[in-house]
Amino acid sequence: MRRARRRRGWSRSSPRPQATKDPSFRRSLALFRAFLREQDDPESCYALLARDAVDQVEAYDGPVAGRTVVDVGGGNGYFTEEFRRRGADAFLFEPDPTELGEKPPGSAVIADGYLLPLRDAAADVTFSSNVLEHVADPEIFLSELVRVTRPGGLIYVSFTNWLSPWGGHEWAPWHYLGAERARARYRRRTGKAAKHTLGENLFAVHIGPTLRQVRARDDITVVSARSRYWPFLAETVVRIPGIREVATWNLLLILRRCPP
């Protein structure tokens, strides 16, 4: 019954889900190399990631020029600035002032992702990159992204799942041996405390439960669930229970808001 309701919700003028080709190996290698230099050259790393992410949005939804984009949890604003560079009316909503850096984008707003200061259906595109694993209640967070997206609008959500080799963030891959052990090792190796603490600002989010949550909703349709960075079989790996929790590395969800 849920699928039938979704099909009836689409009108002839509604944007149709699109498929994209798997990204190239060269692109994946460039991103991986940038991630390795993140601590030394964060500007180059995140500028590249922002260009790549907006390319993905446009691959599914067409040019962003002239459209309203809401970037939730975008930190220093690299994504917001890239959307603006391509002509979008993009706005950054960030809950942590320390993540904004010294020169945040103009009109950046300190705002809780659970309760965005926006009216319903305010955005053509709602964007959230690598935020879901940092919120205690992903379901409420996703509901807020859906609320502020107009019917027919696109919702872009990516996150690093806990069992990914990068799931422990700065103390990965030692999180496989336990969070506390991994944090202790990080302190011994670097001489400083880790930025992330499991259960406080990092949470064990898994792909299977997240997919079940979004697929159970009748106010969105899942356009694509794929590995964000993987150079081949990007959607196939996400369909394999168990293996996907490790091999996906980072899950990208492209969602479409259904008409009421």
Side-chain angles (χ1 to χ4, degrees):
M1 291 297 292
R2 183 167 62 248
R3 290 181 180 177
R5 287 200 300 273
R6 286 178 181 172
R7 284 195 294 268
R8 286 197 297 269
W10 290 99
S11 68
R12 291 182 180 272
S13 61
S14 298
R16 294 291 178 177
Q18 302 173 22
T20 60
K21 296 180 180 179
D22 285 338
S24 69
F25 180 80
R26 179 181 297 179
R27 171 258 188 185
S28 297
L29 182 60
L31 287 170
F32 182 69
R33 287 174 172 170
F35 293 148
L36 293 179
R37 300 192 302 269
E38 177 192 5
Q39 297 300 314
D40 299 325
D41 189 6
E43 184 170 348
S44 295
C45 174
Y46 287 106
L48 175 62
L49 185 60
R51 292 193 298 272
D52 185 78
V54 180
D55 283 346
Q56 288 178 316
V57 170
E58 292 192 326
Y60 283 99
D61 213 38
V64 297
R67 307 174 75 188
T68 299
V69 178
V70 170
D71 176 8
V72 183
N76 281 334
Y78 290 101
F79 300 108
T80 302
E81 293 292 2
E82 182 62 24
F83 278 114
R84 290 179 178 178
R85 191 183 69 80
R86 301 195 194 190
D89 295 319
F91 303 91
L92 172 61
F93 295 84
E94 170 59 51
D96 185 353
T98 65
E99 292 291 336
L100 288 173
E102 297 180 358
K103 296 181 180 180
S107 303
V109 177
I110 304 298
D112 188 342
Y114 291 141
L115 190 62
L116 293 168
L118 292 169
R119 61 176 173 79
D120 294 355
D124 296 303
V125 177
T126 305
F127 180 90
S128 175
S129 174
N130 295 334
V131 177
L132 202 67
E133 70 267 35
H134 300 294
V135 299
D137 195 325
E139 191 167 7
I140 293 178
F141 181 80
L142 286 169
S143 291
E144 189 66 355
L145 299 185
V146 174
R147 181 187 69 80
V148 302
T149 307
R150 67 166 176 81
L154 193 81
I155 303 162
Y156 178 111
V157 179
S158 82
F159 69 93
T160 304
N161 51 296
W162 176 244
L163 292 178
S164 158
W166 299 103
H169 286 49
E170 73 271 27
W171 27 275
W174 304 100
H175 64 295
Y176 288 131
L177 302 179
E180 290 307 313
R181 181 178 296 181
R183 280 175 50 81
R185 182 186 182 279
Y186 180 86
R187 179 183 283 276
R188 289 195 305 271
R189 185 171 61 86
T190 65
K192 60 182 180 181
K195 175 182 177 180
H196 296 99
T197 301
L198 189 66
E200 294 183 10
N201 58 1
L202 181 65
F203 299 89
V205 182
H206 301 285
I207 291 175
T210 303
L211 288 176
R212 287 191 290 273
Q213 285 179 9
V214 296
R215 288 169 176 164
R217 301 184 64 112
D218 57 11
D219 53 358
I220 56 174
T221 187
V222 179
V223 178
S224 181
R226 61 192 295 118
S227 172
R228 181 176 180 179
Y229 308 123
W230 204 243
F232 53 86
L233 301 178
E235 290 189 331
T236 302
V237 70
V238 176
R239 300 190 185 107
I240 308 173
I243 292 175
R244 65 189 174 198
E245 300 295 340
V246 178
T248 298
W249 285 45
N250 186 287
L251 180 67
L252 171 60
L253 293 172
I254 301 294
L255 311 173
R256 184 83 64 185
R257 175 75 189 271
C258 294

